Amino acid sequence: MTARVVFVGAGPGAADLITLRGARALARAEVVLSDALVDPALREMAPNARWVHVGKRGFEDSTRQATINALLLRHARTAQCVVRLKGGDPSVFGRLEEELEALAAEGIACEVVPGVTAALAAAAATQRPLTRRGQGRSVGLSTAMTRDGEVRALRRADTEVFYMAGRQLGALAQRLADAGWPADTPVNVVSRAGWPDVLSSDHALDALAAAAVLHAGRPTVVIVGAGATAPAAQCPQLDPRQRRLETLKP
Ligand code: SAH
Protein backbone atom coordinates (compact mmCIF):
# COMPACT_ATOMS: atom_id res chain seq x y z
CA MET A 1 0.00 0.00 0.00
CA THR A 2 1.36 3.45 -0.83
CA ALA A 3 1.24 6.01 1.92
CA ARG A 4 -1.56 8.54 1.79
CA VAL A 5 0.31 11.05 3.88
CA VAL A 6 4.02 11.58 3.45
CA PHE A 7 5.77 13.73 6.04
CA VAL A 8 8.66 15.36 4.25
CA GLY A 9 11.55 17.24 5.83
CA ALA A 10 12.18 20.25 3.61
CA GLY A 11 15.57 20.99 5.12
CA PRO A 12 16.37 24.31 6.74
CA GLY A 13 16.44 26.65 3.80
CA ALA A 14 17.16 26.64 0.12
CA ALA A 15 14.98 24.27 -1.88
CA ASP A 16 17.92 22.21 -3.09
CA LEU A 17 18.55 20.90 0.42
CA ILE A 18 15.48 18.65 0.26
CA THR A 19 16.19 14.95 -0.29
CA LEU A 20 15.53 13.30 -3.63
CA ARG A 21 12.92 11.14 -1.92
CA GLY A 22 11.20 14.23 -0.57
CA ALA A 23 11.24 15.91 -3.99
CA ARG A 24 9.69 12.80 -5.55
CA ALA A 25 6.92 12.83 -2.97
CA LEU A 26 6.25 16.51 -3.80
CA ALA A 27 6.07 15.67 -7.51
CA ARG A 28 3.32 13.11 -6.76
CA ALA A 29 1.43 15.26 -4.28
CA GLU A 30 -2.15 16.39 -4.82
CA VAL A 31 -2.15 18.47 -1.68
CA VAL A 32 0.78 19.96 0.25
CA LEU A 33 0.27 21.18 3.79
CA SER A 34 3.31 23.31 4.40
CA ASP A 35 5.08 25.13 7.21
CA ALA A 36 5.62 28.80 6.50
CA LEU A 37 9.41 28.61 6.88
CA VAL A 38 10.02 26.51 3.77
CA ASP A 39 11.47 27.99 0.57
CA PRO A 40 8.77 29.13 -1.89
CA ALA A 41 10.91 27.55 -4.66
CA LEU A 42 9.76 24.16 -3.32
CA ARG A 43 6.36 24.90 -4.83
CA GLU A 44 7.81 24.36 -8.27
CA MET A 45 8.54 20.77 -7.25
CA ALA A 46 4.84 20.14 -6.71
CA PRO A 47 3.30 21.32 -9.97
CA ASN A 48 0.02 19.42 -9.52
CA ALA A 49 -0.58 20.18 -5.87
CA ARG A 50 -2.90 22.48 -4.04
CA TRP A 51 -0.62 24.30 -1.61
CA VAL A 52 -1.90 25.08 1.86
CA HIS A 53 0.18 27.04 4.39
CA VAL A 54 -0.46 25.78 7.90
CA GLY A 55 2.69 26.33 9.89
CA LYS A 56 3.97 29.13 11.99
CA ARG A 57 6.44 31.74 10.87
CA GLY A 58 8.97 32.66 13.54
CA PHE A 59 7.20 33.49 16.74
CA GLU A 60 3.94 34.78 15.31
CA ASP A 61 0.71 33.08 16.24
CA SER A 62 0.58 29.58 14.87
CA THR A 63 -2.34 27.74 13.38
CA ARG A 64 -3.40 25.61 16.29
CA GLN A 65 -2.16 22.02 16.16
CA ALA A 66 -5.73 20.71 16.32
CA THR A 67 -6.58 22.63 13.16
CA ILE A 68 -3.55 21.17 11.38
CA ASN A 69 -4.54 17.66 12.44
CA ALA A 70 -8.10 18.21 11.21
CA LEU A 71 -6.85 19.53 7.86
CA LEU A 72 -4.53 16.56 7.47
CA LEU A 73 -7.38 14.14 8.11
CA ARG A 74 -9.73 15.92 5.75
CA HIS A 75 -7.27 15.89 2.85
CA ALA A 76 -6.08 12.35 3.56
CA ARG A 77 -9.67 11.11 3.19
CA THR A 78 -10.06 12.56 -0.30
CA ALA A 79 -6.58 12.80 -1.89
CA GLN A 80 -4.36 9.90 -2.94
CA CYS A 81 -1.18 11.64 -1.88
CA VAL A 82 -0.90 14.35 0.73
CA VAL A 83 2.51 15.76 1.62
CA ARG A 84 2.98 17.34 5.01
CA LEU A 85 6.05 19.50 4.44
CA LYS A 86 7.99 20.52 7.53
CA GLY A 87 11.05 22.71 7.96
CA GLY A 88 14.30 20.88 8.73
CA ASP A 89 13.63 17.32 9.82
CA PRO A 90 10.10 16.30 10.84
CA SER A 91 11.43 14.33 13.83
CA VAL A 92 13.24 17.26 15.44
CA PHE A 93 10.94 19.69 17.27
CA GLY A 94 8.38 19.14 14.54
CA ARG A 95 5.27 18.04 16.52
CA LEU A 96 5.39 14.92 14.38
CA GLU A 97 3.93 12.53 16.92
CA GLU A 98 0.71 14.49 17.34
CA GLU A 99 0.07 14.41 13.60
CA LEU A 100 1.04 10.73 13.28
CA GLU A 101 -1.30 9.85 16.15
CA ALA A 102 -4.21 11.70 14.55
CA LEU A 103 -3.70 9.78 11.30
CA ALA A 104 -3.10 6.45 13.07
CA ALA A 105 -6.44 6.82 14.86
CA GLU A 106 -8.10 6.75 11.42
CA GLY A 107 -5.87 3.96 10.07
CA ILE A 108 -4.30 6.23 7.43
CA ALA A 109 -0.99 4.96 6.00
CA CYS A 110 1.95 7.32 6.52
CA GLU A 111 5.59 7.60 5.63
CA VAL A 112 8.25 9.90 7.05
CA VAL A 113 11.02 11.25 4.82
CA PRO A 114 13.90 12.78 6.78
CA GLY A 115 15.36 16.22 6.16
CA VAL A 116 18.43 18.24 7.10
CA THR A 117 17.86 19.64 10.57
CA ALA A 118 18.97 23.20 11.41
CA ALA A 119 21.90 22.04 13.58
CA LEU A 120 23.42 20.13 10.69
CA ALA A 121 22.85 22.96 8.23
CA ALA A 122 24.57 25.35 10.65
CA ALA A 123 27.58 23.03 10.98
CA ALA A 124 27.81 22.80 7.20
CA ALA A 125 27.49 26.55 6.68
CA THR A 126 30.24 27.38 9.17
CA GLN A 127 32.39 24.34 8.35
CA ARG A 128 32.51 23.46 12.05
CA PRO A 129 31.93 19.76 12.66
CA LEU A 130 29.66 19.05 15.63
CA THR A 131 31.84 16.13 16.68
CA ARG A 132 35.60 16.52 17.05
CA ARG A 133 38.18 13.80 17.31
CA GLY A 134 39.36 13.64 20.89
CA GLN A 135 37.20 16.53 22.15
CA GLY A 136 33.66 16.23 20.96
CA ARG A 137 32.21 12.74 21.35
CA SER A 138 28.58 13.64 21.82
CA VAL A 139 26.00 16.11 20.50
CA GLY A 140 22.77 17.19 22.17
CA LEU A 141 19.78 18.81 20.44
CA SER A 142 17.61 20.75 22.88
CA THR A 143 14.90 23.31 22.79
CA ALA A 144 15.80 26.29 24.94
CA MET A 145 12.12 26.92 25.71
CA THR A 146 9.87 24.70 27.77
CA ARG A 147 6.17 24.44 26.95
CA ASP A 148 5.35 27.11 29.51
CA GLY A 149 7.90 29.54 28.09
CA GLU A 150 10.73 28.96 30.57
CA VAL A 151 14.34 28.97 29.37
CA ARG A 152 16.31 25.80 30.16
CA ALA A 153 19.86 24.75 29.44
CA LEU A 154 22.03 21.79 30.27
CA ARG A 155 25.48 20.32 29.94
CA ARG A 156 25.25 16.68 29.00
CA ALA A 157 26.95 16.52 25.63
CA ASP A 158 30.32 17.90 24.50
CA THR A 159 28.44 19.99 21.93
CA GLU A 160 24.97 21.24 22.85
CA VAL A 161 22.78 22.78 20.14
CA PHE A 162 19.81 24.86 21.27
CA TYR A 163 16.79 25.49 19.06
CA MET A 164 14.19 28.20 19.67
CA ALA A 165 16.55 30.35 21.71
CA GLY A 166 16.84 33.40 19.47
CA ARG A 167 14.82 35.73 21.64
CA GLN A 168 16.23 34.60 24.97
CA LEU A 169 19.97 34.64 24.55
CA GLY A 170 20.66 36.51 27.79
CA ALA A 171 18.56 34.08 29.80
CA LEU A 172 20.08 31.12 27.97
CA ALA A 173 23.61 32.31 28.84
CA GLN A 174 22.61 32.51 32.50
CA ARG A 175 21.12 28.99 32.48
CA LEU A 176 24.20 27.63 30.71
CA ALA A 177 26.43 29.13 33.39
CA ASP A 178 24.14 27.62 36.06
CA ALA A 179 24.51 24.26 34.30
CA GLY A 180 28.29 24.42 34.73
CA TRP A 181 29.61 25.80 31.45
CA PRO A 182 32.59 28.14 32.13
CA ALA A 183 32.24 31.84 31.25
CA ASP A 184 34.75 31.56 28.39
CA THR A 185 33.03 28.61 26.68
CA PRO A 186 32.86 29.20 22.91
CA VAL A 187 29.36 29.78 21.59
CA ASN A 188 28.50 30.00 17.91
CA VAL A 189 25.16 31.53 16.93
CA VAL A 190 23.87 30.76 13.43
CA SER A 191 20.70 32.17 11.92
CA ARG A 192 19.04 31.24 8.62
CA ALA A 193 21.44 28.34 8.12
CA GLY A 194 21.06 26.91 4.64
CA TRP A 195 19.79 30.22 3.20
CA PRO A 196 21.90 32.56 1.08
CA ASP A 197 21.83 35.20 3.85
CA VAL A 198 23.04 32.85 6.63
CA LEU A 199 24.69 34.70 9.50
CA SER A 200 27.16 33.27 12.04
CA SER A 201 28.68 35.00 15.05
CA ASP A 202 31.06 33.93 17.81
CA HIS A 203 30.80 34.79 21.48
CA ALA A 204 32.19 33.80 24.83
CA LEU A 205 29.36 32.41 26.94
CA ASP A 206 29.26 35.41 29.28
CA ALA A 207 28.85 37.79 26.30
CA LEU A 208 26.19 35.77 24.47
CA ALA A 209 23.43 38.36 25.02
CA ALA A 210 25.23 40.61 22.50
CA ALA A 211 24.16 38.25 19.69
CA ALA A 212 20.48 39.13 20.15
CA VAL A 213 20.46 42.26 17.99
CA LEU A 214 22.47 40.66 15.19
CA HIS A 215 20.13 37.68 14.76
CA ALA A 216 16.84 39.36 15.73
CA GLY A 217 13.78 38.03 13.92
CA ARG A 218 15.65 35.17 12.22
CA PRO A 219 15.45 31.42 12.96
CA THR A 220 18.55 30.79 15.05
CA VAL A 221 20.46 27.91 16.59
CA VAL A 222 22.98 28.31 19.40
CA ILE A 223 25.92 25.89 19.41
CA VAL A 224 27.81 25.56 22.67
CA GLY A 225 31.09 23.77 23.45
CA ALA A 226 33.34 21.64 21.27
CA GLY A 227 31.39 22.09 18.02
CA ALA A 228 31.35 25.87 18.37
CA THR A 229 35.07 26.34 17.86
CA ALA A 230 36.47 27.19 14.43
CA PRO A 231 38.87 24.54 13.15
CA ALA A 232 42.56 25.55 13.23
CA ALA A 233 42.60 26.02 9.45
CA GLN A 234 39.60 27.02 7.42
CA CYS A 235 38.97 26.58 3.69
CA PRO A 236 38.01 29.71 1.79
CA GLN A 237 34.22 29.74 1.56
CA LEU A 238 32.24 30.45 -1.54
CA ASP A 239 29.85 33.38 -1.27
CA PRO A 240 26.52 31.64 -0.50
CA ARG A 241 24.78 33.81 -3.14
CA GLN A 242 27.21 32.56 -5.73
CA ARG A 243 26.73 28.99 -4.57
CA ARG A 244 22.99 29.33 -4.90
CA LEU A 245 23.25 30.73 -8.42
CA GLU A 246 25.48 27.84 -9.37
CA THR A 247 23.07 25.24 -8.06
CA LEU A 248 20.26 26.86 -10.01
CA LYS A 249 22.11 26.59 -13.35
CA PRO A 250 20.62 23.90 -15.59
N1 SAH B 1 12.20 20.69 12.47
C1 SAH B 1 13.10 21.82 12.46
C2 SAH B 1 13.06 22.59 13.76
C3 SAH B 1 11.74 23.27 14.02
S1 SAH B 1 11.72 24.21 15.50
C4 SAH B 1 14.51 21.31 12.15
O1 SAH B 1 14.74 20.11 12.13
O2 SAH B 1 15.40 22.14 11.91
C5 SAH B 1 12.11 25.84 14.91
C6 SAH B 1 13.51 26.22 15.34
O3 SAH B 1 14.45 25.60 14.49
C7 SAH B 1 13.79 27.69 15.23
O4 SAH B 1 13.35 28.40 16.38
C8 SAH B 1 15.30 27.70 15.16
O5 SAH B 1 15.88 27.50 16.43
C9 SAH B 1 15.57 26.44 14.35
N2 SAH B 1 15.73 26.73 12.92
C10 SAH B 1 14.89 26.41 11.91
N3 SAH B 1 15.39 26.77 10.72
C11 SAH B 1 16.59 27.33 10.97
C12 SAH B 1 17.62 27.88 10.15
N4 SAH B 1 17.49 27.91 8.82
N5 SAH B 1 18.74 28.34 10.75
C13 SAH B 1 18.90 28.30 12.09
N6 SAH B 1 17.95 27.79 12.91
C14 SAH B 1 16.83 27.30 12.37
Side-chain angles (χ1 to χ4, degrees), residues 128 135-136 138 176 181:
R128 297 182 188 189
Q135 293 163 38
S138 54
L176 285 165
W181 291 96

Side-chain angles (χ1 to χ4, degrees), residues 11-13 35 37 56 58-59 86-94 115-119 121-122 162-166 190-195 198 218-222:
D35 280 357
L37 281 175
K56 63 179 174 179
F59 293 93
K86 287 176 174 283
D89 183 278
S91 302
V92 180
F93 307 126
V116 177
T117 192
F162 293 92
Y163 288 62
M164 290 173 269
V190 184
S191 59
R192 284 183 57 87
W195 293 91
V198 55
R218 297 157 56 93
T220 301
V221 284
V222 179

Side-chain angles (χ1 to χ4, degrees), residues 6 26 51 54 59 82 102 105 138 143 149 177 189 218 228 239:
V6 187
L26 280 177
W51 199 280
V54 296
F59 293 93
V82 177
S138 54
T143 165
V189 181
R218 297 157 56 93
D239 178 337

